[in-house]
Structure formats: structure tokens, C-alpha cells
């Protein structure tokens, strides 16, 4: 049943969406909370981190997203 659901979901999605689902994006949001931003300054999208526990930090804010779900650490 799970393989059939997997096939139905990914049959209609794009390649980038499928890649994001299999290898989720891992982003650090800490700098946006610690550094003041100018009101008229555009925010740059943070670079993806490698999927590794070495980036987990008790004082940091990290986002893991796969195109369907998001998790904050």
C-alpha cells in the first residue's frame, strides 16, 4: 500500500519536488533572529546546510523542509 501511494504522489510531481522530498532542505535561521535587519532591506534566502547532526545547536534555529512538511529545531 505504501509503495502504491508513493508512486501516485511522485508520478505527478516535478523532479525538483521529488529531490526535495527525498533529500530535504536544511536551513539555519539563527542569523535572522540575532542580526538586526533594515526595514527596506530584502532578506536573502539562506544557503542549505548538509544533512548532518553537527549543525544541530541548542542555541540555534534550524528549519528542515521537504516541500510537504516543515520542522523547526
Amino acid at each position: 500500500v505504501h509503495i502504491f501511494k508513493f508512486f501516485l504522489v511522485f508520478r505527478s510531481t516535478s523532479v525538483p519536488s521529488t529531490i526535495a522530498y527525498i533529500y530535504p532542505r536544511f536551513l539555519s535561521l539563527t542569523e535572522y533572529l540575532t542580526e538586526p535587519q533594515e526595514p527596506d532591506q530584502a532578506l536573502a534566502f539562506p544557503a542549505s546546510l548538509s544533512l548532518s547532526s553537527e549543525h544541530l545547536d541548542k542555541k540555534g534555529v534550524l528549519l528542515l523542509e521537504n516541500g510537504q512538511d516543515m520542522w523547526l529545531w
Side-chain angles (χ1 to χ4, degrees), residues 7-8 11 15-17 19 25 29-30 32 34 36-37 39 41-42 47-48 53 56 62 65 68-69:
F7 175 74
L8 288 177
R11 186 177 75 178
V15 172
S17 296
I19 291 171
R25 288 178 280 268
L29 304 178
T30 306
Y32 295 108
T34 58
Q37 299 289 327
Q41 182 182 2
S48 282
S53 63
L56 297 177
L62 300 165
E65 72 90 14
Q68 295 185 8
D69 300 306

Side-chain angles (χ1 to χ4, degrees), residues 56-70:
L56 297 177
D57 181 13
K58 290 181 182 180
K59 296 179 182 178
V61 178
L62 300 165
L63 176 70
L64 180 69
E65 72 90 14
N66 66 3
Q68 295 185 8
D69 300 306
M70 298 176 118

Side-chain angles (χ1 to χ4, degrees), residues 25-50:
R25 288 178 280 268
F26 191 43
L27 310 167
S28 174
L29 304 178
T30 306
E31 63 189 48
Y32 295 108
L33 300 174
T34 58
E35 296 178 10
Q37 299 289 327
E38 296 295 324
D40 58 344
Q41 182 182 2
L43 293 175
F45 199 73
S48 282
L49 303 171
S50 61

